[in-house]
Amino acid sequence: GGDGSLAPVAALALERDLPFVVVPLGTRNHFARDLGLDPDDPVTALDAFDAPERRIDVGRVNDRVFLNNVSLGAYAAAVHEEGSGALGPLARWLLRFRRSPLRLGLDGEERAVLLLLVGNNEYDAGGRRDRLDAGTLSAYLLEHAPLLRLRRETEVGTAFVVHARTAHVQAAIDGEPAELEAPLRFE
């Protein structure tokens, strides 16, 4: 399936210690691309049944598995409003949130964030991952700085906690809408 349907299947495979084969039949298939699969030819993915096993990392937020990333802020709100996999113009989302950014506690300080993306391993500038087994989480912040300037920051680690002013936070997990209870514990 697509990115949104893969994580629940991966969680079940982890729970039961079963192998997991990805056949890209979804909309964007980011995870399949990062595995090196051709999303335009899902039949070739069936070759994995005869291939050697490859171990990869999974991320978790509040014990919920994700394979690609978890988004908070502008993108998550757009997914909740427009449906899963929403990719309307980013500028429209940022303008909509410039007056009311998400307030998150990170590294012991409160920050006004327009967008927080937590990735399972590191993304390159093109939005792809070279490795799916580096054992890290990557956090990308688009911060609402004074005078409406935007600051981008990247952090890498294996676990961290995000605090929010509200009890529940809208999120997009692998492109699917979700509501998470704060604080958000990533590992």
Side-chain angles (χ1 to χ4, degrees):
D3 292 323
S5 55
L6 292 177
V9 176
L12 187 61
L14 280 168
E15 179 183 305
R16 297 186 179 176
D17 195 28
L18 295 171
F20 172 60
V21 174
V22 175
V23 179
L25 292 171
T27 306
R28 294 194 176 76
N29 300 305
H30 294 290
F31 185 68
R33 287 179 201 274
D34 290 343
L35 282 172
L37 298 174
D38 180 357
D40 296 324
D41 186 11
V43 174
T44 60
L46 299 177
D47 293 340
F49 284 103
D50 295 323
E53 186 175 284
R54 176 180 171 192
R55 298 261 177 192
I56 60 157
D57 299 329
V58 300
R60 292 183 192 271
V61 57
N62 293 2
D63 294 321
R64 186 167 170 178
V65 168
F66 64 95
L67 297 175
N68 295 320
N69 57 61
V70 176
S71 297
L72 306 174
Y75 180 76
V79 168
H80 280 262
E81 288 177 17
E82 299 174 21
S84 62
L87 281 180
L90 181 59
R92 181 173 53 113
W93 298 335
L94 295 177
L95 289 172
R96 182 174 63 204
F97 284 88
R98 74 173 182 236
R99 291 191 186 108
S100 58
L102 184 64
R103 298 220 175 261
L104 298 175
L106 300 166
D107 300 329
E109 65 179 83
E110 186 176 278
R111 297 184 188 193
V113 177
L114 294 173
L115 180 72
L116 170 64
L117 182 131
V118 177
N120 174 20
N121 290 292
E122 286 189 68
Y123 283 85
D124 64 21
R128 302 284 303 268
R129 294 172 291 175
D130 292 329
R131 292 197 54 192
L132 296 173
D133 62 351
T136 62
L137 294 170
S138 55
Y140 305 91
L141 300 159
L142 191 55
E143 198 167 354
H144 187 272
L147 303 175
L148 296 179
R149 288 181 299 181
L150 301 178
R151 186 173 85 185
R152 182 181 168 269
E153 182 177 325
T154 304
E155 304 207 10
V156 177
T158 57
F160 56 91
V161 177
V162 174
H163 298 276
R165 283 185 159 177
T166 58
H168 294 91
V169 178
Q170 283 188 335
I173 300 177
D174 291 340
E176 296 292 322
E179 190 167 294
L180 299 173
E181 190 172 315
L184 286 70
R185 300 181 189 289
F186 289 90
E187 60 180 327

